[in-house]
Amino acid sequence: MKDTRQPPRQPNLLFIFTDEQRCDTMGCYGNDWIETPHLNRLADRSFVFDRAYVTQTVCTPSRSTIMTGLYPHTNGCVANNVPLRPETPTLAEMIDPRYARGYVGKWHLGDEVVPQHGFDHWVSIEDNYREFYSRPEHLERLSDYHHFLVERGLTPDKEDGGTKVFSRDLAARQAEPLTKAAFVGREAERFIREHQGQPFALYVNFLEPHMPFTGPLDDLYDPRAMPVGPTFRQAPGEDASLLHRRMAEHFLSRKRLYGVEATDEAGWRRIRAQYMALVTMVDRAVEGILAALDQTGAADNTIVVFTSDHGDMMGEHAMFAKTVLYEQAMRVPLLMHVPWLSREKRTIGGPVSQIDLVPTLLDLMGQPAPGHLQGRSRTDVLAGDAVLDDNDVIVEWNGADSREPFAKTCPQDEQEILLGPWRSIITADGWKLNLSGLDQPELYDLAADPDETRNLFGEPGQQSRIADLTARIRAWQEQTDDRVSRQLP
């Protein structure tokens, strides 16, 4: 039954997102063994988007969309560590200035330790992007998490531009109360408690379960009992793109990965188990944030979103990390709790893109949406007045970025291919076309082949489908002024 209560006049927004969390890491997406009780409870009263996709499978570009409602090729953040332009507004700059606007956690959109883009409350955790700061004076500042560790007697272990900072490895090896996840959780709680009675928009970003894929809960899950998919440690076939084949060869050739002996399946399972343990650690931090909403009386007046900036291959197709075009890298969890619309779990089928997050949230908050946004509000879907049965999703890749170190290990004549742009379309009926002008394109029938093991691009019977999907990509490029079309077939 639909909850017919009217929305509050100025609802709060609590936007929680992780880094590198694939969608099958939670109970509401079929994972029946991982320990995420607090996220499970959130899912039990949320809209659960079954097929949510990022706009690009790497941190900065994806985050740029989450924050601005624009595709990476539009807002300019087409690669990691490209700063978000000052003139490109985030949601925090689009809402009523009477909102308290907070950001806690990893930013990765430029000048990590400096409050910016409409946020008047800023808590930073990263000192690993200092070489990309825009002004020398920013280098005089260190993250709030750095100072937190120093105050507890820890000594930085890494030199960066003449300054000692904490490496991610050292931070990850701390006891749970000293981890970035616990720190971020407590700071988010504090913001909520300090802004009782005032409308707020709070973005909370956890670094975990991002690499180095280690933490205080490393032994929580038995690697030998770790469920894996049919493509685990199985390289793509010869019909796959050169990118995917060479990426698999790269990981299979490594003797150590993320500090773990990786010459056999046992090592790969160990990494996967530690990754899942980091998801559980995030869940524990989320508990306190949601409790703060309840204890301050803000829960009934707060939209809660939970998602991630991209996924991780975690051994599927013989790869780790992201930057590729498989579902494990593209698909992420997306929960949306809107208490005046529903207090029960409602699964939303069909593909949806994170490009729609900003317009949807502005709509739910009763705020006007600027005309430059490239997504659309999905409040009609939440209200049950529309479905996603005819929705296409586009995922882009804009060139070299994080693939450069890997590509340099490959033959010279392959490097341009491996660093080229891609555009992918995923349709509501389960077809996926990965299009490149330099590499072997890929066509997958996700309904019949959800593990993406058979590339149908060369099948004679698929040429009309390929032409149709290519035309849809072209139409999207025209609509969004995507200039990469010259490099696509």
Side-chain angles (χ1 to χ4, degrees), residues 201-254:
L202 173 62
Y203 280 75
V204 181
N205 182 243
F206 292 95
L207 172 68
E208 296 83 1
H210 188 282
M211 58 192 70
F213 305 138
T214 187
L217 306 183
D218 277 352
D219 296 325
L220 183 62
Y221 300 116
D222 181 356
R224 296 167 299 179
M226 183 67 41
V228 297
T231 65
F232 186 72
R233 221 163 175 268
Q234 300 297 311
E238 288 300 314
D239 62 346
S241 65
L242 181 69
L243 167 67
H244 286 155
R245 288 185 284 119
R246 291 292 183 264
M247 192 74 80
E249 291 171 6
H250 168 75
F251 283 105
L252 287 169
S253 69
R254 302 286 295 277

Side-chain angles (χ1 to χ4, degrees), residues 468-482:
D468 173 56
L469 296 179
T470 300
R472 297 192 205 183
I473 292 175
R474 294 289 190 216
W476 170 85
Q477 291 183 303
E478 182 69 24
Q479 180 184 1
T480 64
D481 195 27
D482 177 21

Side-chain angles (χ1 to χ4, degrees), residues 90-379:
T90 67
L91 180 140
E93 295 167 283
M94 301 176 197
I95 59 177
D96 190 320
R98 286 174 291 186
Y99 271 85
R101 292 157 292 178
Y103 195 96
V104 177
K106 177 182 171 181
W107 173 245
H108 211 176
L109 290 168
D111 293 329
E112 197 74 19
V113 295
V114 180
Q116 57 192 282
H117 281 285
F119 291 102
D120 44 38
H121 179 93
W122 192 272
V123 179
S124 56
I125 64 170
E126 286 296 325
D127 295 291
N128 289 280
Y129 307 118
R130 289 164 52 81
E131 65 180 293
F132 304 106
Y133 289 2
S134 65
R135 298 180 182 178
E137 57 263 34
H138 295 338
L139 293 171
E140 299 174 6
R141 304 180 63 161
L142 294 170
S143 71
D144 297 295
Y145 179 67
H146 173 100
H147 294 297
F148 166 79
L149 292 182
V150 169
E151 289 167 2
R152 278 145 189 83
L154 276 73
T155 302
D157 62 320
K158 174 184 174 183
E159 184 170 317
D160 187 319
T163 300
K164 296 288 282 188
V165 300
F166 290 96
S167 68
R168 282 182 175 171
D169 286 329
L170 180 58
R173 292 197 301 270
Q174 300 308 309
E176 190 171 357
L178 300 183
T179 60
K180 288 181 179 179
F183 176 79
V184 165
R186 289 190 300 268
E187 289 297 316
E189 292 177 45
R190 184 163 67 89
F191 177 91
I192 292 169
R193 297 185 192 283
E194 290 179 352
H195 292 87
Q196 294 185 55
Q198 180 183 3
F200 65 79
L202 173 62
Y203 280 75
V204 181
N205 182 243
F206 292 95
L207 172 68
E208 296 83 1
H210 188 282
M211 58 192 70
F213 305 138
T214 187
L217 306 183
D218 277 352
D219 296 325
L220 183 62
Y221 300 116
D222 181 356
R224 296 167 299 179
M226 183 67 41
V228 297
T231 65
F232 186 72
R233 221 163 175 268
Q234 300 297 311
E238 288 300 314
D239 62 346
S241 65
L242 181 69
L243 167 67
H244 286 155
R245 288 185 284 119
R246 291 292 183 264
M247 192 74 80
E249 291 171 6
H250 168 75
F251 283 105
L252 287 169
S253 69
R254 302 286 295 277
K255 293 182 178 181
R256 289 185 68 83
L257 288 167
Y258 313 112
V260 174
E261 293 290 339
T263 56
D264 58 15
E265 184 174 321
W268 286 45
R269 283 178 169 271
R270 163 57 63 184
I271 297 167
R272 189 176 176 111
Q274 294 178 182
Y275 169 86
M276 296 296 180
L278 291 172
V279 175
T280 295
M281 193 165 72
V282 168
D283 181 81
R284 294 180 181 183
V286 168
E287 176 187 17
I289 301 173
L290 298 180
L293 286 182
D294 291 330
Q295 293 162 7
T296 58
D300 289 344
N301 194 39
T302 302
I303 303 159
V304 182
V305 178
F306 181 85
T307 190
S308 191
D309 62 353
H310 50 76
D312 191 288
M313 296 305 295
M314 270 299 126
E316 312 290 353
H317 298 281
M319 303 175 201
F320 285 93
K322 56 274 187 180
T323 81
V324 292
L325 306 170
Y326 286 113
E327 293 288 282
Q328 291 88 353
M330 290 181 170
R331 281 183 61 191
V332 291
L334 177 55
L335 313 181
M336 193 172 291
H337 173 60
V338 188
W340 59 91
L341 289 182
S342 178
R343 295 174 182 267
E344 300 175 348
K345 177 183 175 182
R346 297 188 181 182
T347 300
I348 306 294
V352 69
S353 171
Q354 289 183 339
I355 194 69
D356 296 332
L357 282 172
V358 168
T360 300
L361 293 172
L362 290 173
D363 199 358
L364 289 170
M365 296 170 75
Q367 302 290 306
H372 70 272
L373 298 181
Q374 293 178 306
R376 53 171 290 190
S377 172
R378 298 295 181 178
T379 54

Side-chain angles (χ1 to χ4, degrees), residues 425-486:
I425 183 169
I426 303 99
T427 68
D429 57 353
W431 286 94
K432 178 177 180 179
L433 175 64
N434 300 327
L435 202 59
S436 167
L438 302 173
D439 204 341
Q440 168 63 53
E442 297 174 336
L443 176 69
Y444 294 108
D445 179 358
L446 297 177
D449 179 24
D451 298 304
E452 300 172 277
T453 60
R454 185 185 176 198
N455 180 11
L456 303 176
F457 189 85
E459 297 287 328
Q462 298 295 340
Q463 295 313 300
S464 62
R465 187 185 310 279
I466 292 168
D468 173 56
L469 296 179
T470 300
R472 297 192 205 183
I473 292 175
R474 294 289 190 216
W476 170 85
Q477 291 183 303
E478 182 69 24
Q479 180 184 1
T480 64
D481 195 27
D482 177 21
R483 304 298 181 85
V484 81
S485 58
R486 297 188 305 273

